[in-house]
Amino acid sequence: MAGNMNANYDLPQGVERLKEEHRKVVKDCKGQITHWKKVEKDYESLQERLVTLPDKLSYDIMVPFGPLAFMPGKLVHTNELTVLLGDNWFAKCSAKQAETLVEHRKKHVKNKLDDLHKVMKNFQSRAGFTEDLEKMTNDNGDFVDIKEKVEEEEAGTKGKHRVAHKPKSKPKEEYVVQLEEEREEEEEEAEGEDGESSKRVLSEEELWARLDELERMEDEQDERDRMDSTDTNGEDTSSSSSEEEKEAEAGREAQVNGQSQCENQASVSHIVQVNGIAKPQHDEEAKEDDDEEEEGSSLPTIYFCHTVEPKKVRINTGKNTTLKFSDRKEQKQQGKRKKKNGKTNSHSIQEHHKITSPSDIYRVFVDVLNGELVPRKSILKSRSRENSVCSDTSESSTADFEERRTFFGRAQSHDDATHSDASDGITEEDSPSISLYPNGRFEAFSGTVVEKDPLPSSIPHLTIAPPALPTIPERKQEEVSSEVPQEPIKRVSKFKAARLQQK
Amino acid sequence: YLIKLSEKIQPQCKKLSSKKVVKSMSARQKLEAQLTENNIVKEELHLLDSQNTVYKLIGPVLVKQDLDEAKATVGKRLEYINGEIQRYETLLKDMERKSEQHREVLASLQQEYQRAQGIPVAKA
């Protein structure tokens, strides 16, 4: 920032100097132009005199005698003129010949005048260009600030995540904590949205401190994840942790802007790890960040936030569990953020967070429960292809999330994905909807493929449509937010039924 | 200290060279003016015919000259002027190069000086 500021200061100074020089040149040109115009005038009057001179044989004139006196005299041989040709050369010639010479000289003078005019115009245009340049630089039209805001709050919430490392107990606590966090995030987001501009005031130093804190939290989270996750998960976590770290680093590098949107950065570290999907998640997060970025820059600033992927609680459900639901916060934030990014990772996972009973867990990991008992990844994929219906975003939850992650990992920049997802998640989040979503979502897991429909619902999200991801329409899900779960009835699992009964 | 001295020397050298540059520049400009003037004279002589007598001003005396002679003389003068201009141009280029070298040396010396300054500061 300092560097930019300096550059900004230098620019006006340089521009001022340039302008001064331009003005100087223009002044000189004008002076010369006036001079040559005078010369031209003289020549014209001389021409006149030459024309009239031979009219009379002799003229009575007052002859200058020295510098102070005149004497009456006569002008004779009116047709004979001694002309100075230049460089100490003289020529005797008649009036008419002299007139020709004068014409010839006038040509030269005119040429010079024209050149001077051209120079003056050039410099004037140059001055105009410098002015335009100055305006442009002031507007910073081409500059885009990329700011990443890291919320300290998340750090606080992250602390809560620290729970016993027992695999079973952890998920619940995590979910609970996550829920809390999400709520906090929601609040923060709301605040942030309202006072986006005001929040940007966060000092860089604070943000850096926050970033460090968040990174620490992430590392801790990773460790916990590792402990909980199975071998496969462990790999994921390691990868995700590394990714998280990378993201954190990236986030740090980016300027942190005061927007609350960046809050999610902290949560970014919570990489949702799905078997082998960790990477995509990062992408998603990154994408989410992109969403955030794009939003708000009053100057064109891109607020990069490591979107907090819905943490998936790792539950050892047997086969593939390790699903961490991203915090709702992330989702919420994502939803709120501009959704320029087409990629809406909208992982509706948010809803999953609410795990208050074992059934919740099953709900969350629907894919596991489905008859297929296949890793969600595969389930999603197959489902997506099978189900063309755009079920509600609920699917976007874990299942979508995973798939999206994969997609994102392939195709887009992290930012876009994360932003979109986050936004999706956020939009969906509203507390009242949460209850609905979990139900719907889980149902989605049951096999509904999240299709583009979610997109329309998710409106806030965006535009996405990650083109990169080809087959999976689920991507579009980002919608997580508003869609109404349409799950295919056939997929409803017994658990879902149980849930429905419960709710 | 040595560095400081050397740095001081450099700007002086540059200045000296720049004076020369200025001088040669002004001389070159004069020559250019003469060049244009003689061109005009040549053209005007061309416009005249032999009936007109041509004079050359040598000191306080106007000396009659033949038109053709005058034309030849003016032509020669033009060539001479062109040659002078070229000579001055080469001189200017050389001087520019020298001054650039001086500037480079000066810059390097400045860097060393700053480094030397930084080290003592660090030590302190």
Side-chain angles (χ1 to χ4, degrees):
Chain A
M1 294 249 330
N4 289 340
M5 303 255 305
N6 289 339
N8 288 338
Y9 288 146
D10 290 342
L11 267 177
Q13 288 174 4
V15 169
E16 276 303 316
R17 185 120 189 287
L18 245 187
K19 279 187 188 171
E20 262 186 55
E21 293 289 324
H22 284 319
R23 273 180 235 142
K24 246 198 217 172
V25 173
V26 171
K27 254 191 198 175
D28 289 343
C29 276
K30 281 188 182 168
Q32 284 194 13
I33 285 170
T34 44
H35 169 259
W36 285 110
K37 275 194 175 166
K38 191 174 160 222
V39 168
E40 202 182 10
K41 249 191 188 178
D42 287 347
Y43 274 123
E44 280 176 16
S45 57
L46 179 64
Q47 246 185 333
E48 255 189 65
R49 176 65 59 242
L50 286 174
V51 167
T52 59
L53 199 58
D55 289 348
K56 273 165 72 166
L57 281 169
S58 64
Y59 290 92
D60 290 326
I61 54 169
M62 291 298 280
V63 183
F65 234 58
L68 303 166
F70 287 90
M71 272 213 52
K74 277 191 173 178
L75 190 67
V76 294
H77 294 296
T78 53
N79 206 31
E80 293 169 24
L81 296 163
T82 306
V83 179
L84 172 66
L85 304 174
D87 195 23
N88 290 344
W89 286 97
F90 291 84
K92 256 196 177 168
C93 34
S94 69
K96 282 204 175 166
Q97 286 171 336
E99 197 192 343
T100 325
L101 284 170
V102 168
E103 273 293 328
H104 178 250
R105 285 195 197 167
K106 263 192 2 183
K107 254 201 233 168
H108 271 278
V109 170
K110 271 185 188 170
N111 287 339
K112 280 209 169 167
L113 262 178
D114 290 341
D115 290 342
L116 281 172
H117 274 297
K118 277 185 200 171
V119 170
M120 207 172 78
K121 276 182 191 173
N122 279 341
F123 271 94
Q124 278 174 348
S125 59
R126 267 200 224 175
F129 288 146
T130 52
E131 278 184 24
D132 291 343
L133 179 72
E134 192 182 6
K135 280 181 197 171
M136 268 172 57
T137 50
N138 286 341
D139 292 345
N140 277 351
D142 295 334
F143 294 129
V144 174
D145 270 344
I146 298 180
K147 294 182 179 180
E148 191 172 6
K149 182 185 172 190
V150 180
E151 289 266 333
E152 297 263 322
E153 298 170 3
E154 288 186 356
T157 55
K158 278 188 178 178
K160 289 180 189 175
H161 284 293
R162 292 215 177 176
V163 286
H165 289 294
K166 294 177 185 177
K168 290 187 182 178
S169 63
K170 202 182 152 190
K172 284 189 185 179
E173 292 181 20
E174 286 182 0
Y175 280 104
V176 171
V177 177
Q178 287 173 358
L179 286 176
E180 293 176 3
E181 289 181 3
E182 291 176 357
R183 282 170 198 158
E184 290 178 9
E185 289 179 357
E186 290 177 6
E187 295 173 357
E188 293 169 6
E189 287 183 4
E191 295 174 359
E193 290 182 356
D194 297 342
E196 277 185 8
S197 55
S198 61
K199 289 212 172 178
R200 286 172 198 165
V201 181
L202 282 180
S203 66
E204 281 190 53
E205 296 171 355
E206 291 175 7
L207 292 169
W208 283 118
R210 189 92 202 285
L211 279 167
D212 293 336
E213 199 179 343
L214 290 172
E215 195 185 11
R216 243 189 322 111
M217 306 298 303
E218 289 181 7
D219 292 340
E220 292 164 359
Q221 187 65 34
D222 289 340
E223 290 178 1
R224 270 186 285 147
D225 292 342
R226 282 183 206 131
M227 291 179 64
D228 294 341
S229 64
T230 60
D231 293 346
T232 54
N233 295 332
E235 293 174 356
D236 293 342
T237 52
S238 59
S239 62
S240 62
S241 63
S242 61
E243 292 176 359
E244 291 176 357
E245 291 177 0
K246 286 178 193 172
E247 288 183 4
E249 291 176 358
R252 285 179 196 168
E253 292 174 358
Q255 286 183 6
V256 181
N257 82 39
Q259 288 191 357
S260 61
Q261 296 174 349
C262 295
E263 292 177 14
N264 292 332
Q265 267 200 347
S267 54
V268 171
S269 59
H270 303 298
I271 295 173
V272 180
Q273 295 179 356
V274 179
N275 300 327
I277 301 182
K279 263 196 177 173
Q281 188 172 6
H282 280 288
D283 295 340
E284 292 173 346
E285 292 180 355
K287 290 171 188 171
E288 291 175 347
D289 292 345
D290 288 344
D291 289 341
E292 295 180 355
E293 293 180 3
E294 300 188 16
E295 323 181 339
S297 44
S298 50
L299 284 191
T301 34
I302 293 180
Y303 293 106
F304 180 89
C305 287
H306 285 297
T307 56
V308 178
E309 287 295 342
K311 284 184 182 179
K312 291 188 178 177
V313 178
R314 290 216 182 137
I315 298 177
N316 292 326
T317 57
K319 299 200 179 177
N320 309 308
T321 47
T322 67
L323 283 181
K324 268 207 319 189
F325 290 97
S326 61
D327 295 342
R328 273 192 221 157
K329 281 193 224 173
E330 295 178 357
Q331 293 175 350
K332 288 177 189 175
Q333 290 181 357
Q334 294 172 355
K336 291 182 183 178
R337 292 167 195 154
K338 277 188 190 174
K339 288 121 192 205
K340 283 191 182 180
N341 298 324
K343 296 193 162 186
T344 50
N345 295 326
S346 64
H347 304 284
S348 54
I349 298 169
Q350 304 152 358
E351 294 138 357
H352 299 293
H353 299 304
K354 220 181 197 179
I355 294 179
T356 53
S357 66
S359 59
D360 294 342
I361 295 170
Y362 286 114
R363 248 189 309 130
V364 171
F365 302 100
V366 171
D367 57 0
V368 176
L369 295 177
N370 282 339
E372 301 179 18
L373 281 185
V374 184
R376 297 184 75 179
K377 214 202 279 188
S378 59
I379 291 174
L380 291 174
K381 285 182 183 173
S382 59
R383 267 187 278 163
S384 62
R385 284 174 194 165
E386 294 169 0
N387 306 329
S388 59
V389 181
C390 298
S391 59
D392 76 59
T393 59
S394 62
E395 288 217 327
S396 58
S397 57
T398 59
D400 299 338
F401 190 75
E402 290 178 315
E403 291 191 5
R404 289 186 207 138
R405 276 182 266 156
T406 51
F407 290 117
F408 290 114
R410 296 173 205 165
Q412 298 190 344
S413 58
H414 299 270
D415 295 343
D416 294 342
T418 53
H419 283 287
S420 59
D421 292 337
S423 60
D424 294 339
I426 294 170
T427 55
E428 294 182 347
E429 284 188 354
D430 299 347
S431 51
S433 65
I434 291 170
S435 60
L436 293 174
Y437 281 118
N439 292 333
R441 296 261 174 91
F442 292 115
E443 294 177 346
F445 281 122
S446 62
T448 54
V449 176
V450 180
E451 299 263 330
K452 299 183 180 181
D453 293 350
L455 281 182
S457 60
S458 62
I459 301 174
H461 295 305
L462 40 147
T463 49
I464 349 146
L469 304 176
T471 52
I472 302 175
E474 294 181 350
R475 274 192 253 171
K476 298 199 180 176
Q477 272 245 290
E478 315 183 346
E479 54 277 323
V480 178
S481 49
S482 41
E483 300 228 77
V484 180
Q486 307 175 358
E487 321 110 35
I489 298 175
K490 58 181 176 177
R491 293 265 186 156
V492 177
S493 67
K494 55 182 173 180
F495 293 94
K496 179 186 171 187
R499 268 182 283 127
L500 287 172
Q501 286 179 1
Q502 285 180 4
K503 300 195 177 174
Chain B
Y1 299 128
L2 289 173
I3 295 169
K4 283 183 192 173
L5 288 174
S6 60
E7 283 185 354
K8 282 179 192 171
I9 289 167
Q10 283 300 329
Q12 287 173 5
C13 293
K14 264 173 59 178
K15 282 177 199 170
L16 288 172
S17 62
S18 66
K19 275 186 192 170
K20 286 182 193 168
V21 169
V22 167
K23 275 188 194 170
S24 53
M25 274 290 292
S26 58
R28 190 168 170 277
Q29 280 170 0
K30 266 194 209 168
L31 284 172
E32 287 224 21
Q34 285 180 5
L35 180 77
T36 47
E37 199 183 359
N38 274 283
N39 271 321
I40 291 175
V41 170
K42 196 175 178 192
E43 289 168 10
E44 287 183 356
L45 280 174
H46 192 63
L47 282 171
L48 291 173
D49 54 12
S50 51
Q51 191 258 322
N52 311 102
T53 42
V54 179
Y55 296 93
K56 177 142 180 156
L57 182 69
I58 299 175
V61 178
L62 265 178
V63 179
K64 220 176 182 181
Q65 291 274 342
D66 203 10
L67 183 65
D68 296 329
E69 273 184 42
K71 283 184 184 174
T73 314
V74 170
K76 278 182 196 167
R77 182 148 171 81
L78 267 172
E79 287 174 18
Y80 169 73
I81 289 170
N82 279 323
E84 287 278 294
I85 284 174
Q86 282 176 9
R87 192 166 65 85
Y88 273 104
E89 269 184 20
T90 50
L91 269 177
L92 277 170
K93 276 184 192 171
D94 289 341
M95 277 191 233
E96 261 192 57
R97 263 182 258 148
K98 280 185 195 170
S99 62
E100 275 201 36
Q101 286 174 9
H102 284 313
R103 264 176 251 150
E104 284 174 14
V105 173
L106 182 70
S108 61
L109 282 173
Q110 276 179 347
Q111 281 182 9
E112 284 183 30
Y113 182 65
Q114 282 176 5
R115 262 180 256 151
Q117 266 185 337
I119 293 168
V121 168
K123 285 182 184 173

